[in-house]
Amino acid sequence: MEDFSLITAIAIALGLAAAGGFLARSLRLSPIVGYLAAGLIISPVTPGYRTDPAAIAQLANIGVIFLMFGVGLHFNLRDLMAVRTIAIPGAVIQVIAASAFGTGIGLAFGLPWREALVLGLAISIASTIILIRTLEDRGLLGTIHARVVIGWLIAQDIITVVALAILPTLGHHDNGPAWQNVAFAVGRAAVFVAVMLVFGARLLPYLLSLVARTGSRELFVLAFVAAALGIATSAAAFGLSIALGAFIAGVAVSETETSHQVAADVVPLRDAFAVLFFVSVGMLLDPDIVRANKALFLAVLGAVLFVNAAIAFVVAAVFPFPGRTALVVGAGLAQLGEFTFIVGSEGLREGLMTDETYAIILAVAAISIVINPFAFSTLDAIERVLRRLGPVWRFVDRQGEIPEPEVPRSGHVVIIGYGRVGELTGHALAQLGIPFAVIEVNLERARALNAAGIPTIWGDAGTREVLERCAIEHARAVCITVPDESTAFVATATARALNPAVPILVRARTGGEIRPLRELGANEVIVPEYEGGLEIMRQALCVLGFDPQEALHLSNAVRDIHYQAEAHDHPI
């Protein structure tokens, strides 16, 4: 009789993961929590069905490859360079400080220094995936605070890649001094990276383009999967981890002209196998180990939730950025995720870490993923407390020297946010000779605009003081073009309170925001998604031979009906 145990294990693991992920999202938690719970249910430490951990672990290795391949494929150096003045030094200092603290905890509990070091490194690394999801849910994605903390985590990713190259050497302490092993490992990694990037820049684009010309989707997918697995496993020949090899494979493919298609095709593979990776991690969770090492567990959990956050906050506060940025960085780094699991599993594989310590790291990571979204809910209260400590907040909130522009005092338009939408509005006003002032939260952009002769106030448009500096009480109109909903809502309410008569035009992300924005005081709410669809409709009618005026009239009628329906159908 055929043995279907592996297929059965995969089916049960994926089925439970789907159910757990759905339940987690219903509770507004990361789906990773559900995947970990699914692994715990079928693990050897819980009653009921038990799957083969070795079989799932082998498939989880493929999950690690695709997970790291996706990270390398989407690695965006531009995002890092845009905030390099704070993200690169901040991440380096924070990782060193947090790793040292975690190592100290391990040594205090009697762990060998190598195991303590891996513990410290593992708990110093936050998850980009979890952070982006939280920022998106909080309406912070796109703000300067989000750009800084995302750039910070990209710098952390680079540090982790270097650490993955070094980890295998720590297990070979009989082959000479540790520093010599580390030097050799870095050298091997440098050679491997150089070879693979040259391969990626020259041979790989040719091969993938050649396959793409066949027009066969399955051949193209097969080609890049073979390339990813081949590069990842070839890292072993250099004495490196497959996780590092997979990351470099992703970076190599990202340099090709077919990278966008690869990115689209790799997502389902990455997601399916990454789920198995997280399930395998959940299978290693052992509540009995956590209970037996309760003191170490609580110490590590406290380090992640409070010490990591405090270190990140203090380091970010040293740089001339808004105080809110330091708070967001602190909250964003109070969690662990996929890189922690990968570093821990590498340490376990190299014999640097015991199953007990790894189980504690996994339990702490799972709890931090659950708790982290609530950390962002405390930011307003923490900011209020810091504001009462005048000198402390003035130090944290200093933003560097910025010239005080000459803002029009009456009859002007205030533009809040000077991205692509705000810039178009400003350009039109300038052509018509209508005076305007800008409020911009991005410090570098504010400086550049002032240098270009556009009067710009740097600051958060949700604060009364910033709006007053733009003489909003005498403004002719207010245009709020920022992409994040929280700033738009607060700015609308504050602007209306300061000037009850001024027309306020607001950009909204979705139709569901139309009614609440109008009730806060917006005269007109514009949803770019609707406007794009209406313009395509109008142009299509013109192409089909309809009179342009008739097409415009129909477009306006549909616009009125659609906006009125949204305003009445969506409650606050």
Side-chain angles (χ1 to χ4, degrees), residues 164-166 168 184-186 188-190 192-193 232-245 346 350:
L164 288 172
I166 295 173
F184 284 144
V186 173
R188 286 196 303 268
F192 175 76
V193 170
T233 53
S234 67
F238 287 79
L240 305 172
S241 70
I242 60 171
L244 173 59
E346 286 297 315
E350 296 295 333

Side-chain angles (χ1 to χ4, degrees), residues 62 80 96 137 247 253 262 268 308 357 364 399 429 453 467 492 520 524 569:
I62 301 178
L80 174 59
I96 291 174
D137 290 344
F247 175 81
V253 173
V262 172
N308 269 8
T357 304
V364 169
Q399 66 276 2
L429 295 175
L467 290 174
T492 300
L520 288 172
E524 296 291 339
D569 292 347

